[in-house]
Amino acid sequence: MGKRRDSDPDSEYGEPAPYDPTFNGPINKRGCTDIICCILFMAVILGYMAVGILAWLYGDPRHVLYARNSTGWYCGTGPNKDKPNLFYFDILKCATSINIMATALNGLQCPTTQVCVESCPSTFWAVGLKAFSEEDKAKVFNQSLCVPSINLENTKFTVKQIIDNELCPFFHIPTTPVLGRCLPDVTALEGIPSEFSNVPGLPTSINDTANLIKNGTGTESLVKDILNGFNARDVGVRIFEDFASSWPWILLGLLIAMVVSLLFLLLLRFTAPVLVWVLILGVLGVGAYGIWHCYWEYDNHKQMSASINDIGFTTNFSVYLQVQETWLAFLIIISVVEAILILTLIFLRTRILIAIALIQESSKAVSHIMSALLYPVVTFVLLLICVAYWGATALYLATSGGPIHRVVALNSTTGDCMSINGTVDCDPQNFSSSDYPGCPSARCIFIKYDDESLLQKNLFNLQIYNAVAFLWCVNFVIALGQCTLAGAFASYYWAFNKPDDIPMFPVSGGFIRSLRYHVGSLAFGSLILTLVQIVRILLEYIDHKTREAQNPVARFILCCMKCCLWCLEKFIKFLNRNAYIMIAIYGKNFCVSAKNAFSLLMRNVVRVVVLDKVTDLLLFFGKLLVVGGVGVLSFFFFSGRIPLPGSTFRSETLNYYWMPIITVVFGSYLIALGFFSVYSMCVDTLFLCFLEDLERNDGSLQKPYFMSKNLMKILSKSNKAPKRDKR
């Protein structure tokens, strides 16, 4: 074996990789891996497509998109295309329903008749005393607000019968269209006409009830609450106006975030040592200040006669800060931590230098493979497709099942009506109340959606399948991206003469290899992670459902279980990530790759910890720089503190200047996350390659190192074979 390496060949974590004279990067001669899991994944995808087709065939998202009248017809589409709004005959009955939110938004069976109208009534109106003797019903009622089955021109019903059978409304108040529903306009409920009071046939005094709505008192305060919530529509319009006027500047802010992220990653090649040591010395400086401050407080409290024994136990923790012993304890603790940090820095200085060199090497790799920075766009598009497909499938499944209509007689208890009430199926398009002469109030009413079919009986299982397949697909897309980038950056490291030996299209090559040979391995790793996530979701569900019945012991056990599962998920993500790197390089199956990656990392566990923490520190600093810098810049611009001469944009024209700021900050975070995820994958890949390089080679003519000259210098190693690195 020659000179002893940094990693122990006799380690319990396996033997170092043997030397292979033909190895010079990701191998091309490879076969398909984990075929069984590949077949299973393909079967799940085909089943997922079948579920989507079933949902598309039997689902109807109009249940959610459009309001429905009493007969189950949709407003704003089909025969009611020109009638987009739903009008409630007596909205006050909805106000006294058990669940006003469900009634106004989802439920069409508010206990009053509902019809589709072209426009919502905007005035006060009620049936007057003279109307009961009026022969021309068309002069009393508005045909557009009555049920479609009645024709006021030739109806034989009297005004009282029309009101009793709820064929036309007997009053209405000012309403406004909100999400396709005519809801009371609180701002217009003033100056109610005096003739609204004490009108025969009305269940209550409309004047008093409307004042209840207006003042938000009593049960009807629920109406005011929901109307205040619906006022968000106006807020949404203003926000849309802000986006319409500021979108070029929002895009400019996101472009600045992209440029800053790219420059930060590329400049790490030159600034990484400075940044790392500044951050490390900053941490040590904070510790030194803490020691000095604790000693200063300790010295100031020497004259106080009180001691910790005099105070005893108290929940007022500020009292302890007045005691000398407290500051002495703080002084000892911080001094011990500071000493540990200094000793760690002294003993790990070489490994910190290796971490810095690998970070610099990663910047070089990114500069040579710039196309890798565009790959997060591919991942984002694939994830967007997964989310859209899952959402559409869930929506179509939830709205599947045909509507059931039955003949219902309102306000009638005669024998003929009771015999047909809710027992006779009907078709609302061909229904006529004249078919039931003994029951003039008969109407074809929507009852429910069919829940007895085979699809409906298995609806819950299909939704579970939809969720599980979605999680598996999302994890697979992320795994595919990691394996693709690992193959690209591994081809960079194992190029002996850089950049001449780097393949022409490393990212495309890694993507093709991953899809052609390793779908099964990526699906295997994704499935393991998906199963853990499902268990976590089930545990959260159980915790949510049983929270009121839990005692302290049960809460403690559930908390421990959730903590353990969280740690397990993090470990599996870490293991999968490194397994995908080994798959991209050597083309072996998932289990072998995971075992080799874990053994390699455990043989170099100290280097792993140091590199991980140094990289996390730098990337956190980078994200803070990008998001914070661009966020502050956007705040000063959109708040008008940085006016641009000659620009037509003025911050005074914005309704909410904080909306474009939030958009820029959130977009900057996503951009920084995309760039830095590529960089983080590059660091991890080069690190594994570096460890393999140390174990495989010794710098001789037969086994030269592939690492950079800077890394060899830090490790006091050299190559006898010359390298031609064109940096």
Side-chain angles (χ1 to χ4, degrees):
M1 294 294 295
K3 189 183 295 184
R4 183 179 177 83
R5 309 281 180 85
D6 292 334
S7 55
D8 186 2
D10 300 322
S11 170
E12 61 179 315
Y13 295 105
E15 295 292 329
Y19 172 71
D20 182 3
T22 63
F23 179 77
N24 60 352
I27 61 174
N28 294 318
K29 294 182 179 180
R30 57 179 73 198
C32 296
T33 55
D34 295 303
I35 298 177
I36 295 178
C37 197
C38 178
I39 295 174
L40 176 62
F41 182 66
M42 292 301 176
V44 169
I45 294 297
L46 291 176
Y48 200 16
M49 294 172 62
V51 170
I53 293 173
L54 282 176
W56 182 77
L57 289 176
Y58 295 99
D60 190 353
R62 292 182 301 174
H63 301 347
V64 177
L65 301 177
Y66 300 100
R68 298 171 298 226
N69 63 15
S70 297
T71 60
W73 287 16
Y74 296 103
C75 300
T77 184
N80 294 318
K81 183 178 181 181
D82 298 328
K83 300 177 180 180
N85 301 303
L86 184 69
F87 172 66
Y88 300 85
F89 276 20
D90 190 354
I91 189 67
L92 306 178
K93 290 184 179 179
C94 299
T96 57
S97 297
I98 296 176
N99 191 340
I100 181 67
M101 185 65 74
T103 296
L105 291 181
N106 300 320
L108 81 109
Q109 294 310 321
C110 173
T112 186
T113 303
Q114 302 144 60
V115 296
C116 299
V117 297
E118 184 176 350
S119 60
C120 295
S122 58
T123 59
F124 294 99
W125 175 86
V127 174
L129 290 173
K130 294 186 297 183
F132 289 94
S133 60
E134 183 72 48
E135 294 296 333
D136 188 359
K137 268 72 71 175
K139 292 182 179 180
V140 178
F141 302 102
N142 185 346
Q143 177 70 61
S144 64
L145 299 180
C146 297
V147 296
S149 60
I150 186 173
N151 188 342
L152 296 176
E153 297 290 343
N154 54 17
T155 182
K156 296 180 180 180
F157 293 139
T158 65
V159 171
K160 189 176 187 309
Q161 287 176 326
I162 291 175
I163 293 175
D164 290 342
N165 295 324
E166 290 194 20
L167 300 176
C168 292
F170 53 82
F171 82 98
H172 61 69
I173 59 178
T175 56
T176 181
V178 179
L179 297 180
R181 292 160 177 86
C182 298
L183 298 180
D185 186 358
V186 176
T187 60
L189 290 180
E190 296 179 359
I192 301 176
S194 59
E195 58 267 22
F196 258 57
S197 301
N198 303 320
V199 177
L202 299 186
T204 60
S205 170
I206 299 301
N207 187 53
D208 294 340
T209 309
N211 275 309
L212 284 175
I213 298 176
K214 179 174 63 176
N215 298 327
T217 58
T219 306
E220 288 76 9
S221 62
L222 292 173
V223 179
K224 187 173 182 180
D225 293 338
I226 193 172
L227 291 177
N228 289 336
F230 279 130
N231 285 336
R233 186 191 66 158
D234 296 331
V235 176
V237 171
R238 296 190 186 100
I239 291 175
F240 180 79
E241 291 174 351
D242 292 343
F243 281 126
S245 61
S246 62
W247 68 266
W249 303 103
I250 292 176
L251 291 181
L252 180 62
L254 298 179
L255 180 62
I256 292 174
M258 186 181 301
V259 173
V260 172
S261 299
L262 180 60
L263 288 178
F264 180 83
L265 295 181
L266 295 180
L267 289 177
L268 281 179
R269 175 176 177 178
F270 309 102
T271 60
V274 177
L275 289 176
V276 171
W277 288 114
V278 165
L279 292 173
I280 291 175
L281 293 177
V283 172
L284 294 177
V286 171
Y289 171 78
I291 293 173
W292 174 83
H293 182 77
C294 290
Y295 177 77
W296 183 77
E297 292 284 357
Y298 171 76
D299 188 62
N300 286 342
H301 288 84
K302 275 185 178 181
Q303 308 302 325
M304 298 187 65
S305 58
S307 65
I308 197 71
N309 295 325
D310 298 329
I311 296 176
F313 177 77
T314 178
T315 56
N316 186 8
F317 294 102
S318 60
V319 175
Y320 292 110
L321 298 179
Q322 309 301 322
V323 180
Q324 183 182 15
E325 287 88 342
T326 302
W327 292 104
L328 178 61
F330 286 161
L331 176 63
I332 295 173
I333 293 172
I334 297 178
S335 299
V336 170
V337 172
E338 184 80 355
I340 292 174
L341 290 176
I342 293 175
L343 292 175
T344 302
L345 182 64
I346 293 173
F347 287 108
L348 298 181
R349 63 187 184 279
T350 302
R351 290 179 171 84
I352 294 175
L353 292 176
I354 293 174
I356 294 173
L358 282 171
I359 291 172
Q360 291 177 298
E361 191 69 15
S362 299
S363 296
K364 297 176 185 177
V366 170
S367 64
H368 286 299
I369 311 177
M370 295 291 289
S371 58
L373 295 174
L374 299 177
Y375 191 83
V377 177
V378 178
T379 301
F380 175 76
V381 171
L382 293 176
L383 290 177
L384 192 63
I385 293 173
C386 292
V387 172
Y389 186 83
W390 165 79
T393 303
L395 176 61
Y396 274 84
L397 283 175
T399 57
S400 60
I404 296 177
H405 298 83
R406 286 181 183 155
V407 178
V408 175
L410 298 178
N411 305 326
S412 183
T413 58
T414 62
D416 293 339
C417 289
M418 292 298 293
S419 63
I420 64 171
N421 200 7
T423 60
V424 180
D425 293 333
C426 59
D427 182 2
Q429 297 184 6
N430 302 316
F431 177 81
S432 175
S433 59
S434 60
D435 296 335
Y436 303 90
C439 194
S441 63
R443 279 181 289 157
C444 188
I445 297 295
F446 167 80
I447 300 298
K448 63 177 181 177
Y449 287 98
D450 180 24
D451 56 0
E452 299 298 326
S453 64
L454 181 62
L455 178 65
Q456 292 299 308
K457 290 181 179 178
N458 293 278
L459 188 60
F460 179 76
N461 296 330
L462 292 176
Q463 289 285 23
I464 294 295
Y465 186 91
N466 181 32
V468 173
F470 165 72
L471 287 176
W472 197 358
C473 289
V474 167
N475 289 324
F476 177 82
V477 169
I478 295 174
L480 177 63
Q482 292 175 343
C483 192
T484 298
L485 293 175
F489 292 122
S491 64
Y492 164 84
Y493 184 93
W494 296 108
F496 190 72
N497 296 309
K498 304 178 181 65
D500 296 340
D501 295 342
I502 300 176
M504 185 67 68
F505 301 106
V507 177
S508 301
F511 183 76
I512 293 172
R513 285 194 299 269
S514 300
L515 279 184
R516 182 178 178 183
Y517 299 107
H518 306 305
V519 170
S521 297
L522 301 181
F524 191 8
S526 304
L527 178 60
I528 297 174
L529 182 58
T530 300
L531 294 176
V532 175
Q533 291 173 340
I534 291 172
V535 175
R536 285 194 65 194
I537 293 173
L538 290 176
L539 197 60
E540 290 289 348
Y541 177 78
I542 294 172
D543 184 24
H544 176 73
K545 287 296 183 180
T546 61
R547 182 156 298 178
E548 295 182 357
Q550 292 174 8
N551 56 32
V553 176
R555 283 195 295 270
F556 175 76
I557 293 174
L558 281 173
C559 183
C560 292
M561 292 176 65
K562 289 193 288 186
C563 181
C564 292
L565 285 173
W566 180 83
C567 294
L568 178 60
E569 182 180 353
K570 291 294 182 183
F571 173 75
I572 290 177
K573 285 182 177 180
F574 172 78
L575 186 62
N576 283 1
R577 184 183 180 92
N578 290 282
Y580 298 148
I581 295 174
M582 301 299 279
I583 290 172
I585 299 174
Y586 300 106
K588 297 181 180 180
N589 62 47
F590 177 81
C591 292
V592 173
S593 299
K595 174 181 175 297
N596 292 340
F598 182 76
S599 300
L600 180 62
L601 294 174
M602 291 305 296
R603 292 197 296 269
N604 301 271
V605 64
V606 177
R607 286 174 177 162
V608 172
V609 174
V610 172
L611 178 71
D612 184 61
K613 297 308 173 186
V614 171
T615 305
D616 287 347
L617 192 65
L618 273 180
L619 295 185
F620 172 77
F621 178 76
K623 292 176 186 176
L624 188 65
L625 175 66
V626 174
V627 178
V630 176
V632 170
L633 181 63
S634 63
F635 170 77
F636 280 103
F637 176 74
F638 288 111
S639 63
R641 290 171 172 80
I642 305 180
L644 291 181
S647 173
T648 58
F649 176 78
R650 294 290 183 271
S651 61
E652 294 81 5
T653 61
L654 296 175
N655 297 297
Y656 310 105
Y657 72 86
W658 43 266
M659 278 308 300
I661 296 175
I662 293 176
T663 304
V664 171
V665 169
F666 183 69
S668 300
Y669 174 76
L670 292 180
I671 290 173
L673 189 65
F675 276 99
F676 291 177
S677 65
V678 173
Y679 188 82
S680 178
M681 196 68 204
C682 180
V683 172
D684 290 346
T685 302
L686 296 189
F687 180 58
L688 282 182
C689 293
F690 164 73
L691 297 179
E692 287 275 343
D693 193 12
L694 278 177
E695 292 185 351
R696 283 176 175 273
N697 305 308
D698 57 10
S700 63
L701 289 174
Q702 294 79 18
K703 296 186 287 185
Y705 291 117
F706 285 79
M707 68 184 73
S708 65
K709 295 178 180 178
N710 190 22
L711 281 169
M712 286 190 285
K713 182 179 179 181
I714 293 172
L715 296 172
S716 300
K717 298 180 182 295
S718 61
N719 267 343
K720 295 183 179 180
K723 295 185 67 175
R724 302 187 306 275
D725 289 0
K726 298 180 181 179
R727 307 294 181 179

